Amino acid sequence: MRGARLAILIILLGLAGAGFQAGLVSKAGLGTWVAALLTLAIFSFLYRDNPVYKLAEHIFIGIAAGYFVALEYWNVFLPNLWKPLVAGLEHIEYSPLPHFPNMILLIPFALGILLFTRFFPRVAWLSRWSMAAMIGSYSGLAIIGALQGDLVAQIRANMVPLYSREALTAFGNDGTESLLFGLLELLRNPLIIVGLLTTLIYFFFSREHKGGLGVAAKIGIWFLMISFGASFGYTVMSRVSLLIGRLHFLLSDWLGIVR
Amino acid sequence: MDLPANRMFRVKLASLVLMVFASWGLTSAADIRVADLPDDNGTALKLTWDLSNIDSTLTLFRSSLPETNWTPVGEFDEPRGSYVDRGLSRDSLYIYAFRLHSGLVLSEAAQPRASVLNRARVNQLLILAIFFALVLLYIKLASRGKHFFVRRIAGLRAIEEAIGRATEMGRPVLYVPGIDDLNNIQTIASMVILNDVARLAATYETPVIVPVCKPFVVPVAEEAVRQGYLNAGRPELYNPDNVRYLSDEQFAFTAGVNGIMLRERTAANIYMGSFFAESLILAETGFSAGAIQVAGTANIHQLPFFVAACDYTLIGEELYAASAYLSREPKLLGTLKASDVAKVIIIIILVAGFIAETLGWHTFADWFAAR
């Protein structure tokens, strides 16, 4: 395994060297160079942990931290809180009861300030109020989303007849070539029903999985494992396409070998 | 929100001026009707029109009042029809017009209003109410001391073995609580398990390293670990530096965790929480490093990777059950029991649905349609 990884790394470095010799590399810009070298540094982990990988890792983490601080400041804090708050203060109307247009924003502002009390041990407990508000509101929103998008929709989608009338009519009437497909089509609904019910039983925690319940749970875990296998293969294919994308960047944008 | 009185006066005045202006050779305003769209959040108006004496293409315009800045909304070929205009503001009053050769046909002014109840989603309200009632009932029963049986979850035994092995080897335990924020219930369940892992590790005097991806998770993770050490009676062993915020960026975090695995040579890696594309990278690195690994997530697309690369995996709801099993907290136990009862109800509903669909009765299944 390690030998294969080393071979990949040597091939990549060899291609880089060949591209450099051929004068192709010089055509790439500075940004491409930095990106390509950092990509190779990350790929060097395929061989083993090394100082080059360590350097790339630290650069990555450092840049990500700085980038996210800037992103949160410009895209979240300024447009959603600070600017509307300042605009509201400018338009404050002094009447018997002062009218402040964006008064509601003072609540997230105060909750945000409370989060910083963590730096002062004596009042650190105040930060829990912000956390409680955040977890509570997020949970409330998540429940509605899960109910609407997952639970109710899944219940409806899985209410299928025990057999498909169309599949039953078609079965045997078509040629022998489609007999297998007809059979599979006929088995679709029973498989959905058995798989769904037994998988639900597997996630039943109030009884030991013994007897009939145990058998059903065992069938359920088989269904789960088969679906995991299919999902694994599907996702690996998409990861391979990511690797191809990265190799294409190295060979095309950087080395110019592939056009 | 209703418009203030002074603004309402200006709006009415503007409507009057518009009507007078538009009535220059013009059709009746009653030909276009505008009404609030029921069962929505107050961002849509429904228009119906009957201009049967017109046979050309109709262009519909909209303007908010009191300003009159006409914006084209769409073109319609049918002289009779209806249209739902969405994406409007609850705070504004709107007026519509069809532009014809003879002039404008204006509608009355209308304001979108939010409905208190969306009747199309009564099914969801009812399901939610039943589930909440079950949760509250079982939490109450658990709080009163009623014993609820929860079957032993095999993955928890694997966690104990993993920590024991790390202790034998004299190396630290790595606990990764996922990469999601505290808004994800998996992260919260992970914190409960972390508390128990920290207690167990403190008992064996084995350090637990907790890399964290989201800043909000840091204080909760610190609290969970500190409490675990306290529960084990070894508060002096707690090292706050072992709860480490690495990065918000998914793969920067992954690179950092990989670095910890290899440089600190963790003997047991426990991944519990919400994971995404980094799951295989983490589990594969841990596998190459020879660590014993236990994972748990409810993100179904990542489960295959954990199943393939870890020694034991808590699948989906087992993660939540594990947190209830470990903490014996009445709220968690009550919720777990309620979700078990809910599963039985769902199974009964599904069986009824299968039978109804087989017999060709679709009304029952259609009631569950998400709208």
Side-chain angles (χ1 to χ4, degrees), chain A residues 201-205 207-211 213-215 217, chain B residues 151:
Chain A
I201 288 169
Y202 174 77
F203 290 108
F204 195 68
F205 298 99
R207 292 269 184 281
E208 282 289 1
H209 284 173
K210 286 179 182 168
L213 201 70
V215 173
Chain B
R151 72 173 162 86

Side-chain angles (χ1 to χ4, degrees), chain A residues 176-227:
Chain A
T176 44
E177 287 168 24
S178 60
L179 204 63
L180 179 67
F181 294 107
L183 187 67
L184 288 173
E185 196 61 35
L186 204 59
L187 284 174
R188 182 205 291 260
N189 287 5
L191 274 175
I192 289 174
I193 292 167
V194 174
L196 178 61
L197 295 182
T198 53
T199 307
L200 271 173
I201 288 169
Y202 174 77
F203 290 108
F204 195 68
F205 298 99
S206 298
R207 292 269 184 281
E208 282 289 1
H209 284 173
K210 286 179 182 168
L213 201 70
V215 173
K218 195 150 271 181
I219 296 170
I221 198 75
W222 270 97
F223 270 96
L224 279 175
M225 289 304 152
I226 290 166
S227 72

Side-chain angles (χ1 to χ4, degrees), chain A residues 245-258:
Chain A
R246 214 59 218 155
L247 291 176
H248 186 264
F249 163 75
L250 289 176
L251 299 176
S252 171
D253 295 16
W254 185 44
L255 298 175
I257 294 170
V258 176

Side-chain angles (χ1 to χ4, degrees), chain B residues 70 110 150 298 302 333 336 338:
Chain B
W70 293 107
V150 178
Q302 306 311 319
L333 276 177
L336 185 68

Side-chain angles (χ1 to χ4, degrees), chain B residues 137-199:
Chain B
L137 173 72
Y138 281 100
I139 287 177
K140 192 87 180 162
L141 289 173
S143 307
R144 284 182 182 171
K146 185 168 170 55
H147 174 73
F148 288 133
F149 173 80
V150 178
R151 72 173 162 86
R152 179 95 175 125
I153 296 153
L156 295 178
R157 177 91 189 130
I159 291 177
E160 285 173 29
E161 281 171 15
I163 296 170
R165 189 178 166 219
T167 308
E168 282 168 14
M169 297 174 82
R171 292 197 209 156
V173 172
L174 178 77
Y175 187 97
V176 188
I179 65 158
D180 231 331
D181 222 325
L182 279 174
N183 58 340
N184 193 315
I185 195 74
Q186 294 182 63
T187 311
I188 297 169
S190 176
M191 291 297 115
V192 178
I193 299 172
L194 172 62
N195 180 274
D196 201 68
V197 166
R199 182 190 58 78

Side-chain angles (χ1 to χ4, degrees), chain B residues 212-283:
Chain B
V212 181
C213 185
K214 301 287 175 193
F216 283 125
V217 180
V218 175
V220 186
E222 282 174 349
E223 200 70 36
V225 177
R226 186 188 287 122
Q227 193 62 44
Y229 277 76
L230 211 61
N231 292 347
R234 305 300 304 271
E236 75 283 359
L237 291 178
Y238 169 66
N239 178 6
D241 291 340
N242 278 346
V243 179
R244 302 171 190 172
Y245 168 72
L246 294 182
S247 173
D248 252 57
E249 214 283 328
Q250 181 185 19
F251 290 107
F253 173 77
T254 310
V257 176
N258 283 353
I260 292 172
M261 280 182 205
L262 295 166
R263 276 156 232 152
E264 312 223 10
R265 299 172 67 231
T266 54
N269 299 337
I270 302 168
Y271 314 101
M272 294 282 161
S274 176
F275 290 88
F276 295 89
E278 72 291 342
S279 61
L280 187 60
I281 303 172
L282 292 174

